[in-house]
Structure formats: C-alpha cells, structure tokens
Amino acid sequence: MTTRDRDTTISALARLAQSDKVSRRAFMERAIALGLMAGPASALWSKAKAEAPKKGGHAIFGFAHGETADTLAADVLGNAHNVTFKTRMLRNCLVEVGTDGRLEPVLASEWAHGDQGATWIFTLRKGVEFHNGKTLDAQDVIESINLHRREETKSGGKALAAKIADIKADGDKVVFELKERNADFPYYLAQYFFTICPSQDGVLDYTSGVGTGPFVLERYEPGVAAVGTRNPNYFDPERPYFDSVELLSIRDTASRTNALVTGEVHGVDALDLKTAERIEATKDLGVVSVPGGSTMTMPMHANVSPFDMVDVRRAMKFAVDRVELRDKIFRGHASLGNDHPVAASDRFHNPDIPQREYDPDKARHHLKKAGLESIDVVLHTSDAAFSGAVDAAVLYAETAKKAGVNVTVQREPADGYWSNVWIKVPFCYSYWNARPTPDLMFVLAYTSDAAWGDTNWSNARFDELVVAARSELDTEKRKTLYHEAQWILHDEGSTIVPLFQNFVHGVNEKIGYGELTGSAPFDGFRAPARWWFKS
C-alpha cells in the first residue's frame, strides 16, 4: 500500500468513527494494522469524535455548473447545480443508492418483486409531509412517475419510465407492472429524474419546487444562486445538519478557486487540478478526491460523416493517449477507460477486453480501411464539461495529428454548453456520472432509444443484449450478456471513453463529512443533506 493509499484509508476510517459506524475497539485495531502506534490512533479517535456531526450554520458551495435556462421543473434536468438543488435538497426519490452501492429506503420503507421481476411493490413511508403540509400518498407517486411516461415529455428518464406498463395504488403501496422482467428496476427509481411531487385534485405540482426534501425553497435565481432552509418536518430526525444551504454557480475556474481561498464558499467542485497541491497546502483548506465510475467521454455522431464509418471511430479511439491525458490533465485523479462505461469495480466489468493504447499506426491503418489518408474534425469543448477540458482538447489535437486525425479545437462558452453544444454538435467533450448498474448507463446513453443518447449510434445486437440482461435474474448469465455488450461498445461504439475521472473538490476544513460516494459531484449531489460544520 502506498503512503497516499494508507493516508486515504486512515481518513476513511476516521470518517466512520465520526458517523458512529465503527466501535472504538474496532477503530483501534484497524488503525494499528495500518501502521499507527496506539497513542496516535487514540488521538485520532478523539479528534474524529470531536468532529462528529453537529447541527447548525449556513453552508455555501460553489459549482462549476449552472445555466440561466435552468428551471425547477421536475421533468427537465441538466447540470450539477440544478440537479443538486431540486432533486436532493427540495425533493426525494422513493429510494437512493448508498455509498456501498446498495439501495436505501427514502420515501419507500420497503420493496419487493413478484412475477420474477415483472412486478415491483413499494410500501410508502408513513407520516411524510410535503413542504406545503400535504401528506405523501400513492397518488403523488403515480402522477410523479407518469410525468416521465408522457409521449411529449422531454425528461431524460423517459427511456427508463417507458419500461413501465402500468402503475396503481394498493393502500399505502404503489404497484409497478413492467413490460418485461427487470432485476434492476428499483435502481431506476433511485435515479434523480424520479423525484416525487405533490398532487392535489388530479393536478401535479412539479414546477414550484415543493417537495418532501430536507430543505425548503427560499430563493432561486437560475444560473446564479439557489438557497434552501432546513425542513422542520423532514422525516429523517438526524439530517440535514445545516440550517441552510446556498448553492452558487461559479463557472469560471479561477473565480471558483478564489472563492474557496477567500472563504466566500465552504466547498467547490471541479477543482482546477493544476492548483490542487497549492490548495492542499493552504491553511484551513483540503482536497477531496473521490474515485468512482464517472466517465470522461468524447461522443461522436454516428450518423454524421466521417463518424458514420466504424473504422474512423476506431481510428479516433487509437488516437487518444490515455496515459498522458491521465497524468498531464487529470494529474493522477483518474483511471484508464476502455471505450465503454463499465468500471473495473463493477461486478459486471469485462476484464478480458485488452486495454486500448495510444497507437498512431493502428489509427492510420483503420483510416486506410475506411478509404482515407487523413480526416479533419472539429472538437467542441468547454471547462463546463470537466475541469481541464480545454487543455485536454489541445492535448488530443497534438496526439491525434500523428495518427492522421487533424483536430480543430472549438472553445465554447460555459453558459449554455449543455443546452446548445452537447448532443447538438458531431464531436465534443462530455462526462457521465456513474450509475449503479450497467443497464442504467446503457439505457440512458447507449441503446438505440436512449433518452440522452449523445451519438445517434444504433446496434441491434447491443440492444438485444441489454434487454436480455435486464430480464435475467441469474447473475452469471447476466455477466455473460454484459461482457458481450462491452465488447461491442469497445469495438464498434461511437463514444470514446478515455478515462474514469475522480470527483475532485476543494473543501474548507470547517466542513465535516462521512463516507463519500463517487457517483456524482458533491457526494452524489447529497453534500447539502449529508455534510456538516465541525464546530
């Protein structure tokens, strides 16, 4: 174990002590096993307990995202700033994914399946109130989910909701009848699309921001700031810890970093990795780097020349120097990707696919198979995609040139990047937050009917594999199906996945937090509800 890994493990152990998830005896045994002497281990225990969750205070977080076109509507989602506020502060889902990847109850207290996964029954938590005083009932759930089933919906959850044949109430239970068996369906309902809104007399209020969430709306300025105050009637007596939380949209990297250094904010996402070491060395500040399954991607429109030729797509993939990208742009805060979105930590990951390496000769070989000597492409980019995206584009242009791929880097404004550039241009930088199952990631971005498909790629065999794996309850059989699906994406897909990126944050030392999830920025968007002030 490296010194860095050891320190990270000790820090994680301390956070377990803070959240009462480990006894003093177990803590001491594990700390000593990691190389600490008894005295320092005991002192670390005392320090961790002193920094345990406390209630109170106004927390301010700075986001690299936020657009003036943002809304509070539950059926239209976008960037991390907007998603955090309206899906994790103001509203709740029926269930959510814990830091260990398992489902945890939220508005549903329990769930079970019937018909070998073709029917799922969710029992609602008792006594839950919306911010307007209305008591949660099954009709609220039914109409909230049906919002994403409408033919005209623009929801990114449309492809997931389309798997539902019918929803009905059974007392305090909600029964979902599916069009096909689905072993992962409860994970669908944990996705932030499916927050629950209040329904009164057949009218669903999905635009005002009224929800059951840990915070009540106080102020909302799209693309600028969002403020929520603690919900006094929240069903969880422990959380949230903060009295109020303010989310600022600070898209400029330098301004965001300066806001952290000057104390204007208590934490920022998408930390400029070139300044991470300086932030780490600054008094009262720290760097939090959380690995996970989030992908940094380069989607190519498969219906636009020259990306409509599979050998061109292969050439583009061989033209990426992934190691150099990881080391120079991400400075080690990432791991190598292999042109599919299933991380090595996932139980369905295919370890038999050889890691694709930078190979200009193979890239030229595939261009020639496509009848081309070279190609000219435009790569649209913005640091809105991820910290360092502009530098990453310049680096790709340099390495790709040796492979016969001539790249023009087109820098785009941060404001409007996700609404005006992503999906709409043939080639750009993007990123995807991790999903707890391959099926969720495939259905959202890779199948022919993906609601957020950003490549227009279609492969009948891939679609068949995804449906078959979703319906299969036997884990080993599912694994075989998912392994073939990953091969197809790696070889024929229209998305370059060079890296799995860490979420890197700058955080004031006044802030405390427990075990973190690497599924999305700011602890899976849940920092407002899960973090606290140490004193």
Side-chain angles (χ1 to χ4, degrees), residues 205-285:
D205 176 6
Y206 64 96
T207 60
S208 71
V210 171
T212 59
F215 294 91
V216 179
L217 172 65
E218 180 177 303
R219 179 165 57 92
Y220 181 62
E221 299 175 61
V224 180
V227 182
T229 57
R230 185 208 305 272
N231 177 3
N233 298 319
Y234 193 50
F235 58 83
D236 185 340
E238 296 297 322
R239 296 173 178 163
Y241 301 110
F242 299 126
D243 287 335
S244 56
V245 173
E246 183 172 2
L247 310 183
L248 297 179
S249 175
I250 312 176
R251 293 183 295 273
D252 179 72
T253 302
S255 298
R256 195 167 58 255
T257 304
N258 186 63
L260 177 70
V261 172
T262 60
E264 179 185 348
V265 300
H266 298 103
V268 298
D269 72 336
L271 188 67
D272 183 355
L273 299 179
K274 294 191 292 295
T275 65
E277 290 185 6
R278 178 171 65 85
I279 295 298
E280 188 74 73
T282 301
K283 183 181 179 181
D284 298 329
L285 298 180

Side-chain angles (χ1 to χ4, degrees), residues 47-346:
K47 182 175 183 292
K49 299 307 289 183
E51 296 176 348
K54 297 178 179 63
K55 289 195 174 184
H58 178 70
I60 308 174
F61 297 110
F63 283 74
H65 303 282
E67 299 187 6
T68 53
D70 290 342
T71 76
L72 290 175
D75 61 337
V76 180
L77 299 179
N79 56 80
H81 181 270
N82 198 223
V83 167
T84 300
F85 189 60
K86 67 184 181 182
T87 75
R88 296 308 189 219
M89 288 179 62
L90 302 182
R91 301 182 179 114
N92 293 116
C93 295
L94 291 176
V95 293
E96 67 180 31
V97 181
T99 54
D100 60 359
R102 299 180 181 180
L103 284 174
E104 297 178 348
V106 185
L107 296 184
S109 57
E110 58 184 19
W111 52 95
H113 69 77
D115 302 328
Q116 295 185 306
T119 300
W120 285 89
I121 304 96
F122 288 77
T123 302
L124 297 184
R125 184 187 294 270
K126 297 183 184 301
V128 176
E129 289 187 2
F130 287 96
H131 301 154
N132 61 7
K134 181 187 183 300
T135 299
L136 172 72
D137 60 34
Q139 197 60 34
D140 299 316
V141 176
I142 292 171
E143 294 187 26
S144 293
I145 303 302
N146 280 339
L147 180 67
H148 308 272
R149 298 177 66 205
R150 299 177 306 172
E151 184 63 33
E152 70 275 15
T153 184
K154 296 180 180 179
S155 169
K158 181 178 182 179
L160 302 181
K163 312 303 178 187
I164 301 170
D166 191 26
I167 316 174
K168 58 187 178 183
D170 181 10
D172 63 347
K173 295 179 174 60
V174 181
V175 181
F176 293 85
E177 296 179 355
L178 310 182
K179 296 177 181 178
E180 59 197 11
R181 292 184 303 176
N182 190 332
D184 291 335
F185 181 71
Y187 283 96
Y188 280 28
L189 298 185
Q191 300 306 294
Y192 50 72
F193 313 108
F194 302 126
T195 55
I196 306 306
C197 304
S199 173
Q200 193 74 43
D201 299 326
V203 178
L204 184 70
D205 176 6
Y206 64 96
T207 60
S208 71
V210 171
T212 59
F215 294 91
V216 179
L217 172 65
E218 180 177 303
R219 179 165 57 92
Y220 181 62
E221 299 175 61
V224 180
V227 182
T229 57
R230 185 208 305 272
N231 177 3
N233 298 319
Y234 193 50
F235 58 83
D236 185 340
E238 296 297 322
R239 296 173 178 163
Y241 301 110
F242 299 126
D243 287 335
S244 56
V245 173
E246 183 172 2
L247 310 183
L248 297 179
S249 175
I250 312 176
R251 293 183 295 273
D252 179 72
T253 302
S255 298
R256 195 167 58 255
T257 304
N258 186 63
L260 177 70
V261 172
T262 60
E264 179 185 348
V265 300
H266 298 103
V268 298
D269 72 336
L271 188 67
D272 183 355
L273 299 179
K274 294 191 292 295
T275 65
E277 290 185 6
R278 178 171 65 85
I279 295 298
E280 188 74 73
T282 301
K283 183 181 179 181
D284 298 329
L285 298 180
V287 174
V288 179
S289 181
V290 189
S294 173
T295 53
M296 167 260 192
T297 66
M298 304 168 71
M300 303 171 282
H301 283 191
N303 59 342
V304 175
S305 178
F307 307 124
D308 55 348
M309 294 182 281
V310 66
D311 276 296
V312 168
R313 300 198 294 269
R314 290 168 180 157
M316 297 289 287
K317 295 172 182 178
F318 278 114
V320 181
D321 191 330
R322 299 158 202 258
V323 173
E324 188 174 30
L325 184 64
R326 178 195 63 192
D327 296 345
K328 287 187 176 180
I329 305 301
F330 286 84
R331 298 175 181 256
H333 294 279
S335 57
L336 299 184
N338 207 16
D339 301 322
H340 65 76
V342 184
S345 58
D346 193 294

Side-chain angles (χ1 to χ4, degrees), residues 12-13 27 40 72 74 107 115 122 152 154 165 169 207 245 271 344 348 359 400 443 446 452 464 478 481 483:
L13 183 58
F27 176 90
L72 290 175
L107 296 184
D115 302 328
F122 288 77
E152 70 275 15
K154 296 180 180 179
T207 60
V245 173
L271 188 67
F348 294 115
D359 194 326
V443 173
Y446 291 90
W452 278 356
E464 291 172 2
R478 293 185 82 196
L481 296 167
H483 280 195

Side-chain angles (χ1 to χ4, degrees), residues 436-457:
T437 69
D439 180 69
L440 274 166
M441 192 70 255
F442 292 159
V443 173
L444 287 173
Y446 291 90
T447 56
S448 300
D449 61 350
W452 278 356
D454 51 11
T455 64
N456 302 312
W457 179 74

